């Protein structure tokens, strides 16, 4: 093990393994309104990650004893296609998918005016067709737009961004390769950018308080970049343009963001 | 509510068919436009997205190592599975596969297997010990009828694009490295029909499926074989021998066009 | 493989491996009304195949949201006993059994006046206790009689017969040995014989159009022979004879049929 | 509805028992007629159909290859399973086995296993490596009470008829070829009783089971052993030591008659 | 096998492997009222066996079609913790647990005045955290007290005791080691001691009628000893003493019992 | 009914919190009393009973033999599972694990695994072939809130007490004989907070959990690492960066006290 060539996660010129800078996101494409049958939907590519999110509802909550008279249930289903990972995944949902569904649904619920829809269900389906680190955040980001597309009133769009550590560096939007670093720490983060409220936050690994302080600021900045892309995708859909494909080269986008901050 | 809407839609479709027309103005033997996009997942060994009108499915291929069946020591195997994702329709839900999704997967599976579309002996790594099991997983993205044909062409295209993973000297898969392409010996394609009143329509929309009394599917190959029949349908319908002959003719014609367009077959 | 002794599926005198002619059925026994608790039932032997079919219903469809206000649901359950095949079968129903149940139920529904029984279920249970090719057709043939026994009004009795190819020959009612021919094609077929309406049809393998033309005619003729046996079994039951066992030597029956055609 | 009919039936049965009679005129210690038919499935290694009055079950034996338990390196094993087919009763449905079917299967299983009805070492093929696992699968065909005793005698008869599959030189099963018969060392048979009021009745019908307050079963062998007890029953019933003694006596007598009739034991 | 040293299950001085006499129980501790959320509960140690039983109910039986208008359903759930046995147990309930739950629930039902609570469920949960032969009886004994603790009216307390055979001797309260004897017979027995009604009785093995006659008397005597301990535990709880732990050294207890008989 | 009672309780809790108080008079950053009892099961390789206020869980360790993951040939593994026993609450029922129990088990599992609390290479028996899989099973006995922290400390304590089973010369487990103790490299402990109104409370009771708008958990170690975050909660709540900083401070302080008290760490 000690003999393996050590990987340099950020080189002297500040470049990561894929050429990005520490605070730079991978290329992202977003298209709102892709599933004709759904009340709202979104297709999102984030690096190699490919996600389709669809929303059905609000609709009557059945069976009735699971209805909430104070507001809508938000049922979030995060699932990975069998071919979306390196080893074929068993099609049945695993414990990881169930946990991600739970925390993602709770994150969205924090942004939805659920009280306007008592005794209903809002079903949010997120399917991952290709993956390379960061799928839960890609899914949540797409799901947030599918909710807007479905006309569900929200206190703000939920925007997510992973931040973490690899090779001693704090980095946004880790790739699979970076997540496999021996000291890797992965911090999925989602906020309502307008208020900086944290609605999803998870973390595993060994992280010092000072590292967290730096990471959370980079993560929030990343979420704000995502928000701009989300808004752009929504305006394309709702200005009635015939949307074919929305390619946002994030590398140039993110440079602009850097200047703004 | 949903049901009432479909009832009204069905009435309308049946009346239109009585006038020898379809709601979307197609001829009875006319398919909807088809689009195929390949290589949609870098983790899959081969993949294909199919749009058939507003119907949409995703197909991915993953080959995994397995052991041969006792009676087929020198042959690999395929396994077709289908998930009716609730993304695609308010009528779909998670849980154990429905009989509809099982039927679709099995008809596609047999269509490939029994037509000997692949040379299964080429999926054998060590006779009696190690083989490739080629998984084909179909996911619905939008349900507007005729998932049979969308799945059939999607699987065939994904297979035709798929490569086998590379193995190291211990016959362990090397991730993201690939060996030769899978070679297709035949290109069986399914054509599905429904019966509405006394008319037989190819490539039904969801509305047409719901308005129909019976369903019939036929797979055909470039070397003039019929390789699969499947009669079904939830209502009290049946087909005459003459109707089936008419379907066979259309199926051969249509499959030929699709093979030319998507598989470069003359 | 090439060295294996080649099997002659039809010899020079026109005889198959078990001595039958191309259009000859295996011996069949049918007994209607065998399960005291059921509303209708039938026991059927077809070669080595042994089937019990029972019908319960029409009865109130529960849960109510699955009731059909336009007619009865026909729920067909085809199952194989664990010991009915060469290798012990897992008792849980497999995908094959689920598919066969679906197409068989749809075939029967085409013959039942379901509209006379809105909001009800007609449950048809078919259990295979021994098998040797053709069990789905044996089951459907028995189920059709169980429905009549239950007094459920039908447009006609459903009669089934397998037809197929082995060793280049078109044959009715294939055995397991014939089904294992390298060029075997298996075509389960069921019709309402009076109108020749096809209510079940499946096929796998490589079949030319001309072969199909021949096969379908032989299959229909086979179904008509079955219908006669079905009628005989019903008349035994309903004429009130003390039925012990109905043995119909099909070999002699089928000779008569040949002459008729 | 169903329930009300059973309630009325139960009342009638209880009243009749108070007059020291049964609805079908049997004595309290009298069995219904039993018929056994063997060799009902050429795919089974042994099989038996049991008619006990109107109660009917099918039993099939299939032996498969397995590996021994760590603590019984030189012994094979049996596995009894029971399916309450919905063919047999409007009260049965498919799905995970009910606690009733599990109880029945386990009582029959233990009855054979703990009475050492088979010499399990004769089911060992290679010590510590390869054994026979003898599966006994019970299917109900008509439920009219006392599935316990019908299953018990059906399993014993099917076992007594069963042959082990033949193995080739690599210890692989040769289909449809058979080796020696399984040899039974003991013939334990179950006798089941119910309590109605203060009376104890053998071989209850379904109606008697529903009218009863408790159930008790006893297995006995030809060499004067009691090999199983099982007390059960959904209502609030119990048995006294005296009642159990009375049951034991009847059980020994009855099992002896059945062993004579069906297993040629004097 | 024959060469293995033969185990002497009862030595010349009448002592068993753990020093007990043939009719002597293992040490038992009982504490009533241990689960604050439950309507009634009991903790019981019996030798190495450790059991927690809790009762919830009577409460409305749902779904309604499973309610009994003539009395309460008694739903008994016997389960073993994964770490309670020598090899880790799969957490899903096995067939053994389902059967034990069934016969134990039926045993308790015989003692409860269920007719006082039509259309209700009484749920009895029994979890085994450590085991060494006799857990079903330990569970039933604890459950009976949990029912009393829940204030459910009963015709009598159900008391259980295992009796059996090892090395040719009839013994009460077998240990795992004794249960593994080549000639072992295990007889779980539970009665309502006041009336000596047998409410649970199972047996496997080879037992002569004379052996049974002896066993049942020893078993009933054992149950009566248990009843005294059950009463003591209840009185501790209900006299309002601050109960910390009730340790009943059964060895001295059982000696007293011997004299009484 | 149940729901209405909880609604009233929630209102009361929210009002009390507005007055900077808790119903049980604790300070916002104050834990309930904790009691740990070890060695509760002689069949477990290590075990611990936790009482945290009225919340109670049982944890048992069982190590079983397994094979290593392909990418970790020289490492053993742990597996944390949690069962919400219906003994503990009228809201729990048997069946497939709820998302709540899965979340709890996974947070505890990752907390141990990612903090490298164990040296996984010491769980390797033969590289690439045989490893220990250490199962940690958590059972609820009484649910009064904060099952996260009760499970976290219960698992750590049970692990710290656990011994590996002894193996014979063929690497087969010798029952009830043990080898060395498992050695803990780090002692990560979870601290859980809820938000009620604008206040953040540590170690919530069940009532406080139900009255809260969001939940947040942090694991910390003796060497000043944060090793896990988990934000959750069924209502529409969120946390600010400042609130999280406040939680981190309390979590470090509290974990230090617990490590001192129960693990002898200064």
């Amino acid at each position: 093990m000690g003999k393996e060539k050590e990987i340099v996660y950020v080189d002297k010129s500040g470049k990561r393994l894929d050429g990005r800078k520490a605070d730079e996101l991978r290329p992202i494409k977003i298209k709102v309104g892709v599933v004709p049958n759904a009340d709202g939907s979104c297709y999102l590519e984030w690096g190699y990650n490919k996600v389709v999110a669809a929303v059905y509802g609000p609709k009557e909550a059945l069976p009735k004893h699971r209805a909430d008279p104070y507001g809508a249930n938000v049922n979030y289903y995060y699932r990975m296609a069998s071919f979306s990972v390196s080893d074929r995944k068993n099609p049945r949902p695993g414990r990881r998918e169930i946990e991600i569904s739970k925390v993602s649904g709770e994150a969205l619920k924090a942004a939805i005016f659920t009280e306007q829809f008592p005794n209903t269900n809002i079903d949010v389906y997120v399917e991952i067709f290709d993956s390379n680190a960061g799928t839960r955040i890609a899914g949540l980001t797409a799901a947030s737009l599918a909710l807007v597309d479905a006309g569900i009133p929200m206190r703000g769009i939920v925007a997510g961004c992973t931040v973490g550590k690899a090779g001693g560096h704090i980095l946004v939007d880790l790739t699979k390769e970076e997540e496999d670093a021996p000291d890797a720490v992965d911090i999925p983060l989602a906020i309502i950018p307008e208020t900086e409220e944290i609605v999803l936050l998870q973390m595993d690994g060994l992280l010092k308080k000072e590292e967290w302080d730096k990471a959370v600021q980079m993560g929030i900045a990343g979420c704000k970049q995502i928000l701009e892309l989300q808004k752009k995708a929504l305006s394309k859909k709702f200005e009635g343009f015939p949307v074919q494909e929305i390619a946002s080269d994030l590398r140039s986008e993110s440079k602009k963001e850097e200047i703004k901050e | 509510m949903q049901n009432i809407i479909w009832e009204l839609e069905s009435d309308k479709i049946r009346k239109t068919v009585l006038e020898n027309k379809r709601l979307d103005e197609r001829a009875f033997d006319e398919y909807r436009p088809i689009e195929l996009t390949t290589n949609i997942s870098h983790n899959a060994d081969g993949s294909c997205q199919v749009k058939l009108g507003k119907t949409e499915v995703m197909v991915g291929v993953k080959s995994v190592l397995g052991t041969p069946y006792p009676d087929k020591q020198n042959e690999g195997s395929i396994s077709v599975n289908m998930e009716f994702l609730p993304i695609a329709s308010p009528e779909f839900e998670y849980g154990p596969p429905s009989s509809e999704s099982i039927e679709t997967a099995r008809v596609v599976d047999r269509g490939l297997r029994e037509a000997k579309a692949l040379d299964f002996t080429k999926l054998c790594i060590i006779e009696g010990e190690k083989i490739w099991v080629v998984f084909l997983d179909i996911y619905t993205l939008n349900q507007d009828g005729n998932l049979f044909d969308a799945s059939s062409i999607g699987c065939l295209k994904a297979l035709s694009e798929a490569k086998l993973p590379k193995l190291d000297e211990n016959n362990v898969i090397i991730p993201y490295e690939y060996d030769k392409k899978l070679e297709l010996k035949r290109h069986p394609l399914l054509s599905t029909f429904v019966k509405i009143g006394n008319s037989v329509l190819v490539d039904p929309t969801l509305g047409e499926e719901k308005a129909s009394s019976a369903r019939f599917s036929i797979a055909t190959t470039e070397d003039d074989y019929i390789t699969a029949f499947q009669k079904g349908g939830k209502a009290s319908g049946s087909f005459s021998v003459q109707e089936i002959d008419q379907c066979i003719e259309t199926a051969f014609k249509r499959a030929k066009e699709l093979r030319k367009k998507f598989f470069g077959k003359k």
Side-chain angles (χ1 to χ4, degrees), chain A, chain B:
Chain A
M1 295 276 281
K3 296 264 181 169
E4 279 178 31
K5 204 182 128 217
E6 205 164 296
I7 298 173
V8 178
Y9 289 92
V10 179
D11 70 13
K12 283 164 195 169
S13 67
K15 279 191 175 165
R16 292 155 68 176
L17 294 167
D18 60 358
R20 284 184 291 153
K21 291 204 253 164
D23 61 352
E24 190 179 342
L25 303 178
R26 287 176 284 182
I28 294 171
K29 286 186 195 179
I30 309 178
K31 187 173 164 186
V32 175
V34 295
V35 178
N37 284 342
D39 294 317
S41 61
C42 178
Y43 172 73
L44 184 144
E45 286 184 26
W46 185 324
Y48 277 120
N49 298 309
K50 286 196 180 129
V51 181
V52 176
V55 169
Y56 286 85
K59 56 187 181 186
E60 191 188 357
L62 292 173
K64 293 204 173 178
H65 71 268
R66 297 184 65 186
D68 178 355
Y70 297 96
N73 295 319
V74 177
N75 303 313
Y76 191 104
Y77 301 92
Y78 163 98
R79 297 287 157 89
M80 300 196 85
S82 60
F83 52 78
S84 68
V85 283
S86 179
D87 289 333
R88 179 174 184 268
K89 199 200 148 288
N90 184 313
R92 284 192 306 175
R95 287 160 44 115
R96 177 180 166 274
E97 286 159 294
I98 291 170
E99 185 198 349
I100 291 177
S101 298
K102 181 175 186 292
V103 296
S104 301
E106 289 168 351
L108 282 184
K109 194 168 182 184
I112 298 172
F113 288 112
T114 53
E115 62 277 16
Q116 298 186 9
F117 307 100
N119 296 310
T120 67
N121 280 344
I122 297 172
D123 293 329
V124 182
Y125 302 105
V126 171
E127 190 78 22
I128 310 297
F129 288 106
D130 203 359
S131 75
N132 180 296
T135 57
R136 84 187 66 184
I137 288 300
L140 185 58
T141 299
S144 178
L145 293 180
L147 283 168
V148 175
D149 187 33
I152 290 170
M154 297 173 78
R155 297 197 292 118
I157 293 173
V158 170
C161 180
T162 293
V163 62
K165 187 168 76 168
H169 302 272
I170 303 297
L171 307 170
V172 299
D173 191 17
L174 273 59
T175 60
K176 184 92 181 64
E177 207 178 357
E178 290 167 340
E179 264 191 2
D180 289 343
D183 72 335
V185 175
D186 181 39
I187 314 173
L189 172 72
I191 65 173
I192 302 176
E194 286 86 347
T195 56
E196 295 194 8
E197 290 167 83
I198 295 171
V199 294
L200 181 142
L201 177 58
Q202 297 183 285
M203 194 270 280
D204 305 306
L206 294 164
L207 193 76
K208 292 285 180 182
K209 175 67 167 64
E210 309 76 59
E211 293 174 323
W212 161 247
D213 291 337
K214 185 173 176 190
V216 69
Q217 292 312 323
M218 283 175 68
I220 288 173
C223 290
K224 288 182 177 176
Q225 289 181 54
I226 293 297
L227 177 67
E228 293 310 308
L229 296 171
Q230 289 175 306
K231 284 181 180 168
K232 206 170 292 177
L234 284 171
S235 68
K236 288 230 174 155
K237 162 91 194 268
F238 289 107
E239 281 170 15
F241 291 168
V243 183
Q244 286 309 325
E245 197 185 74
I246 302 168
S248 316
D249 186 351
L250 245 279
R251 307 212 180 174
S252 51
E253 290 284 335
S254 62
K255 275 170 203 157
K256 269 182 276 169
E257 296 288 331
E258 275 170 50
I259 297 161
K260 265 200 274 183
E261 283 173 44
Chain B
M1 271 300 288
Q2 200 81 39
N3 287 337
I4 292 167
I5 291 166
W6 283 118
E7 279 302 320
L8 295 172
E9 172 89 355
S10 287
D11 283 348
K12 206 164 142 193
I13 288 171
R14 289 191 200 104
K15 272 181 205 150
T16 313
V17 167
L18 275 179
E19 298 160 9
N20 273 314
K21 285 191 222 153
R22 295 170 87 162
L23 278 194
D24 59 8
E25 318 238 302
R26 281 186 287 155
F28 284 177
D29 65 351
E30 188 182 343
Y31 263 67
R32 288 172 290 179
I34 306 186
E35 262 179 67
L36 306 188
T37 314
T38 55
N39 201 18
I40 52 159
S41 173
H42 88 294
N43 276 293
D45 300 339
S47 57
C48 180
Q49 179 178 12
V50 180
K51 292 190 186 185
L52 175 59
K54 284 197 284 186
T55 286
E56 189 171 342
V57 302
M58 297 277 214
V59 180
V61 176
K62 275 301 239 191
S63 296
V64 307
L65 297 168
T67 45
Y69 288 109
D71 56 337
K72 296 190 174 175
Q73 297 281 306
N74 68 335
E75 294 188 12
S77 168
I78 63 168
S79 171
V80 180
N81 299 282
M82 178 152 199
E83 186 136 9
F84 279 16
L85 292 184
I87 279 183
S89 164
E91 296 180 336
F92 294 169
E93 51 190 32
Y94 290 120
S98 63
S99 59
E100 285 81 9
S101 78
I102 288 174
E103 185 189 22
T104 313
R106 281 180 55 85
V107 168
V108 171
D109 188 312
R110 289 198 303 262
L112 294 168
R113 187 190 302 268
E114 301 300 329
K116 300 174 177 77
L118 287 170
D119 182 349
F120 287 106
T121 62
K122 296 208 171 158
L123 299 177
C124 181
I125 300 164
I126 305 172
E127 186 169 333
E129 274 185 40
K130 209 164 219 170
I131 57 158
W132 287 113
V133 181
V134 180
F135 280 92
L136 281 148
D137 288 294
I138 311 166
Y139 290 86
T140 59
L141 267 190
N142 197 65
Q143 152 69 318
D144 191 32
N146 202 7
L147 290 170
F148 270 68
D149 294 3
S151 299
S152 163
I153 197 166
C155 284
L156 197 70
K157 188 68 187 173
L159 262 189
S160 76
E161 295 286 319
K163 290 171 190 156
L164 286 175
K166 206 166 200 164
L167 296 173
D168 68 15
E169 65 276 16
N170 300 319
N171 280 327
V172 173
I173 290 176
I174 309 171
Y176 303 111
E177 294 194 26
Y178 296 95
D179 209 335
K180 63 186 177 197
K181 266 200 175 187
L182 284 171
E183 196 187 319
L184 292 183
K185 287 172 56 192
R186 277 200 188 86
H187 295 78
L189 283 174
L190 208 61
S191 290
T192 293
F193 302 83
V194 291
K195 194 162 164 186
I196 298 177
N198 291 314
S199 300
V200 174
L201 289 70
V202 78
D203 183 23
T205 62
L206 184 59
E208 288 170 344
E209 286 183 352
K210 285 178 185 282
S212 72
S213 67
R215 194 199 65 226
F216 189 61
S217 301
I218 302 162
T220 61
T221 66
E222 59 262 53
D223 48 356
D224 295 330
Y225 280 111
I226 305 167
T227 60
F229 287 146
Q230 183 84 349
K231 189 264 171 188
K234 281 186 191 163
S236 309
S238 59
F239 287 88
S240 68
V241 175
Q242 293 69 36
E243 284 165 344
I244 282 173
D245 281 348
Q246 171 196 339
C247 292
I248 292 173
E249 201 185 317
T250 306
F252 268 112
K253 200 176 113 230
R254 185 64 200 173
K256 197 173 174 183
E257 288 170 30
L258 292 175
R259 268 193 297 271
K260 191 172 165 190
K261 184 164 175 191
F262 293 112
F263 299 92
K265 297 277 152 188
K266 59 168 194 320

